[in-house]
């Protein structure tokens, strides 16, 4: 397959690129190396596969519809995996306009470019944040997702709705994958596991918001990549799919696991809850298992150990 992968230089995109190249696919990676976090990290990510004969890197913006249509045509892409986004719930609260522009208008630009060249196969990243503070636990794909708590969640839900419109109007086959807090080597530096690990190694206090009972269904990157590849293989019609880890754990439990893996005790700086944060994310994976054969295999203890090993070798020892 020849796949246009938007956001190829990012955390999930770089892992997916490595996997798809190793499986024999041709990847056209598009990324604008934005400065939401250090673009130097993204350059390091792409260095891993930049020279691969089946990889082409294009530096550009998903909001540039002419560029996208040109790439799809020139490389005769048969599938698009759309990961590029303005990420981060808290950032979106402070900068809603850029979040909506990239995530909603950017997705629209991609859909239009695909329509223009007659390409109808799309796997795209959505987010567990679309469920808001749903009282029905665990979250199922057909639960209400119309009460977003942040511009980011709103933008991800809007992108899903746009994709559904293109499925309805033009027969696009689309899988919207609702990722649940992904972690592992190369995780975005502002995400909790990365931040806490940096603080532990730096002997600095860890700031925890709320009372430590907020919980997340953390997903190891290996499982996320598996979910995306399964979705590509089974792409048919319009699907919303939860791609999560095996079970949620609380913030306090997460810190205990990190303390164990790093071998240091954390000093906690307790702060009130942040606006936009949800209390709990918990994925019901029954539908994803039935539909695409997805189920996570990396338990949180093992995933945290792998992450900390990578962090020690790649960040602390450098
Ligand atoms: N990491 C998670 O826990 C998580 C959870 C839920 C959903 N997601 C979604 O998964 C996707 C990938 O997330 P990630 O954690 O790898 O983030 P990331 O920021 O590491 O990767 C996103 C990439 O998109 C690129 N990008 C941003 N705006 C762009 C634009 N306008 N044009 C072209 N490229 C652009 C960035 O430079 C970056 O390399 C995103 O859509 C995100 O919303 C991630």
């Amino acid at each position: 397959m020849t796949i246009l992968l938007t956001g190829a230089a990012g955390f999930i995109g770089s892992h997916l690129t490595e996997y798809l190249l190793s499986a024999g696919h041709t990847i056209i990676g598009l990324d604008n190396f934005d400065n939401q976090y250090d673009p130097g990290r993204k350059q390091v990510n792409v260095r891993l596969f930049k020279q691969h004969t089946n990889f082409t890197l294009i530096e550009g913006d998903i909001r540039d519809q002419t560029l996208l249509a040109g790439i799809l045509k020139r490389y005769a892409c048969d599938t698009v995996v759309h990961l590029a986004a303005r990420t981060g719930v808290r950032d979106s609260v402070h900068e809603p306009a850029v979040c909506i522009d990239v995530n909603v208008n950017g997705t629209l630009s991609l859909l239009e470019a695909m329509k223009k060249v007659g390409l109808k196969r799309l796997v795209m990243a959505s987010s567990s944040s679309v469920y808001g503070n749903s009282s029905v636990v665990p979250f199922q794909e057909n639960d209400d997702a119309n009460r977003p708590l942040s511009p980011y969640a709103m933008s991800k839900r809007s992108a899903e709705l746009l994709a559904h419109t293109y499925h309805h109007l033009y027969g696009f086959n689309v899988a919207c994958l609702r990722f649940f807090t992904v972690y592992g080597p190369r995780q975005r530096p502002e995400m909790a596991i990365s931040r806490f690990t940096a603080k532990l190694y730096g002997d600095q206090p860890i700031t925890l918001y709320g009372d430590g009972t907020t919980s997340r269904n953390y997903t190891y990157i290996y499982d996320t990549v598996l979910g995306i590849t399964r979705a590509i293989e089974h792409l048919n019609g319009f699907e919303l799919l939860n791609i999560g880890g095996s079970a949620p754990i609380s913030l306090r439990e997460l810190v205990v696991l990190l303390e164990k893996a790093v071998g240091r005790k954390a000093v906690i700086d307790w702060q009130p809850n942040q606006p936009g944060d949800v209390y709990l994310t918990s994925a019901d994976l029954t539908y994803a298992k039935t539909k695409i054969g997805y189920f996570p295999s990396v338990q949180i203890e093992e995933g945290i150990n792998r992450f900390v090993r990578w962090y020690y070798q790649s960040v602390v020892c450098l």
Side-chain angles (χ1 to χ4, degrees):
M1 263 187 226
T2 299
I3 299 170
L4 169 64
L5 173 49
T6 73
F11 162 47
I12 300 174
S14 61
H15 282 278
L16 182 66
T17 302
E18 275 190 295
Y19 180 83
L20 291 173
L21 287 172
S22 73
H25 299 293
T26 297
I27 304 299
I28 315 302
L30 175 77
D31 205 296
N32 72 345
F33 294 83
D34 77 357
N35 61 0
Q36 197 185 7
Y37 63 91
D38 178 11
R41 282 179 176 252
K42 301 173 191 178
Q43 295 291 356
V44 172
N45 292 346
V46 294
R47 223 179 277 155
L48 297 163
F49 42 75
K50 212 173 172 179
Q51 305 305 333
H52 196 292
T53 43
N54 290 342
F55 180 75
T56 303
L57 178 65
I58 296 165
E59 194 163 340
D61 198 298
I62 52 165
R63 289 164 291 183
D64 184 343
Q65 198 191 121
T66 312
L67 171 74
L68 291 177
I71 295 170
L72 294 174
K73 214 169 160 186
R74 175 168 174 206
Y75 295 97
C77 299
D78 42 52
T79 302
V80 177
V81 178
H82 177 36
L83 302 181
R86 190 76 179 182
T87 55
V89 167
R90 289 176 194 163
D91 280 1
S92 79
V93 174
H94 302 299
E95 286 190 295
V98 64
C99 170
I100 305 297
D101 191 35
V102 173
N103 299 357
V104 183
N105 292 335
T107 302
L108 177 61
S109 157
L110 177 63
L111 290 163
E112 276 294 295
M114 290 176 68
K115 185 181 94 185
K116 204 165 165 186
V117 303
L119 178 58
K120 297 183 177 180
R121 286 173 50 82
L122 174 65
V123 172
M124 57 183 256
S126 186
S127 159
S128 61
S129 63
V130 300
Y131 292 110
N133 269 332
S134 173
S135 54
V136 189
V137 175
F139 304 158
Q140 289 183 350
E141 289 84 346
N142 55 8
D143 288 349
D144 176 38
N146 296 319
R147 289 175 173 76
L149 303 182
S150 65
Y152 172 74
M154 175 274 181
S155 73
K156 286 292 178 182
R157 181 66 180 135
S158 302
E160 288 182 349
L161 296 173
L162 265 176
H164 183 268
T165 310
Y166 278 67
H167 161 70
H168 173 74
L169 289 176
Y170 310 115
F172 276 42
N173 292 303
V174 186
C176 300
L177 307 183
R178 292 176 170 173
F179 298 147
F180 285 67
T181 319
V182 189
Y183 72 103
R186 315 204 283 274
Q187 191 196 39
R188 300 199 320 260
E190 89 285 3
M191 294 186 75
I193 292 177
S194 287
R195 267 190 296 123
F196 296 170
T197 306
K199 297 284 184 196
L200 277 167
Y201 275 117
D203 286 325
Q204 290 172 327
I206 290 179
T207 304
L208 292 189
Y209 298 100
D211 60 2
T213 57
T214 53
S215 297
R216 294 286 177 273
N217 204 154
Y218 298 99
T219 316
Y220 192 69
I221 183 67
Y222 170 88
D223 289 323
T224 307
V225 166
L226 181 81
I228 300 170
T229 52
R230 289 273 158 83
I232 296 171
E233 287 158 14
H234 292 84
L235 196 52
N236 185 20
F238 179 84
E239 296 290 354
L240 299 170
L241 295 160
N242 285 342
I243 302 295
S246 37
I249 64 159
S250 73
L251 200 54
R252 200 65 196 90
E253 288 170 300
L254 174 71
V255 173
V256 171
L257 287 180
L258 284 168
E259 287 177 328
K260 235 194 250 169
V262 172
R264 297 184 189 193
K265 197 91 194 111
V267 177
I268 309 287
D269 166 28
W270 293 102
Q271 293 293 330
N273 264 324
Q274 290 284 288
D277 281 1
V278 299
Y279 183 71
L280 163 76
T281 65
S282 176
D284 187 322
L285 300 174
T286 318
Y287 189 67
K289 189 174 180 185
T290 315
K291 216 60 206 172
I292 63 169
Y294 169 77
F295 53 92
S297 64
V298 183
Q299 299 300 313
I300 184 82
E301 293 80 3
E302 172 58 20
I304 290 291
N305 282 335
R306 285 192 210 174
F307 171 76
V308 168
R309 263 200 308 274
W310 167 82
Y311 191 93
Y312 181 76
Q313 285 160 5
S314 313
V315 183
V316 179
C317 290
L318 277 188

